[in-house]
Amino acid sequence: MPSLKVVNMAGKEVGDIVLSDEVFGVEVNAAILHAAVRAYLMNQRQGTQSTKTRTEVSGGGRKPWRQKGTGRARQGSTRSPQWTHGGVALGPKPRSYRIELNKKTRRNALKSALSDKVAQNNMIVVDAILAEDYKTKTMTAMLAAVGADKKTLVVLPENDSKVVKSFANIPGVKTTQAHTINVYDILNADKLVIAKAAAEKIQEVYA
């Protein structure tokens, strides 16, 4: 079982946490991670893009010139795709880009992402992430103290508005809760800073 040091917000070691092999020690499956990230990104798309075909643009009802005898190419409408102000051929129409993954695949992808962060020593466990006031300076100092000065995902056990808003103005830092954590955010971050209670919640659910 992997074991990590637990630090406080000042970066001082205050204990250890033993992590479950079933969640934080599985073999990383790149194919499942790819599927999960692709599904996440596709599901963010609204799919509302739309172009007008030649039947939807206004005008073009009259034949521009007679069929024969002018020396020009035959034309039936001024709203054909080759005309200025004409319709678009084979353009996008509203559609759903949604990709569904089954529950087992989603769980395995999350376990692989967490295990990868542990294996690469990019997961930092903090005993508690608290804020007495809305202070960005406090959270910036905490990240520097624990060694998370790059792109960071902060995982809280539950929503804490003071903590979330204190992190909000720090570039490259995103906050989430244990029950809303996702594979894309984990892999997109250089460091995963997780509260001890959040790590225990994740183990409880996925182990």
Side-chain angles (χ1 to χ4, degrees):
M1 288 187 173
S3 177
L4 293 181
K5 296 178 181 178
V6 178
V7 298
N8 60 18
M9 292 182 63
K12 295 180 180 179
E13 185 179 342
V14 294
D16 295 298
I17 183 172
V18 178
L19 302 173
S20 170
D21 278 334
E22 296 178 24
V23 181
F24 296 95
V26 303
E27 184 179 350
V28 178
N29 189 324
I32 287 181
L33 290 176
H34 176 269
V37 170
R38 180 171 179 268
Y40 176 86
L41 294 175
M42 294 293 278
N43 294 347
Q44 304 306 301
R45 299 188 66 172
Q46 290 183 314
T48 55
Q49 72 276 41
S50 182
T51 54
K52 290 185 177 181
T53 65
R54 59 184 294 171
T55 64
E56 295 170 319
V57 293
S58 62
R62 181 176 64 86
K63 187 175 175 68
W65 52 76
R66 59 195 175 96
Q67 181 82 345
K68 293 178 178 292
T70 64
R72 289 182 288 186
R74 56 195 176 189
Q75 301 290 337
S77 170
T78 57
R79 293 300 178 259
S80 296
Q82 74 270 22
W83 283 74
T84 302
H85 307 303
V88 176
L90 307 177
K93 284 292 183 182
R95 53 165 286 197
S96 172
Y97 288 91
R98 187 159 191 83
I99 296 176
E100 293 290 348
L101 296 178
N102 62 51
K103 184 177 179 180
K104 184 177 180 180
T105 301
R106 293 198 306 269
R107 291 172 70 95
N108 287 342
L110 185 62
K111 291 177 182 180
S112 284
L114 291 170
S115 298
D116 179 64
K117 278 289 181 279
V118 173
Q120 300 295 329
N121 294 321
N122 287 326
M123 178 168 153
I124 301 165
V125 182
V126 182
D127 61 343
I129 302 174
L130 303 171
E132 296 180 358
D133 204 352
Y134 298 94
K135 285 288 186 180
T136 300
K137 186 176 181 180
T138 303
M139 297 306 162
T140 303
M142 187 210 79
L143 293 176
V146 301
D149 52 351
K150 297 181 180 179
K151 190 184 290 186
T152 303
L153 177 66
V154 180
V155 185
L156 306 172
E158 55 192 19
N159 187 38
D160 184 329
S161 62
K162 287 184 179 180
V163 174
V164 172
K165 290 183 179 181
S166 296
F167 276 117
N169 287 333
I170 306 175
V173 176
K174 182 174 182 179
T175 56
T176 187
Q177 288 84 53
H179 66 281
T180 59
I181 193 170
N182 67 76
V183 173
Y184 177 81
D185 286 340
I186 296 171
L187 296 180
N188 191 45
D190 294 317
K191 294 287 185 180
L192 178 63
V193 176
I194 184 168
K196 184 179 179 182
E200 291 169 347
K201 273 192 176 183
I202 292 172
Q203 285 195 142
E204 185 180 341
V205 174
Y206 292 97

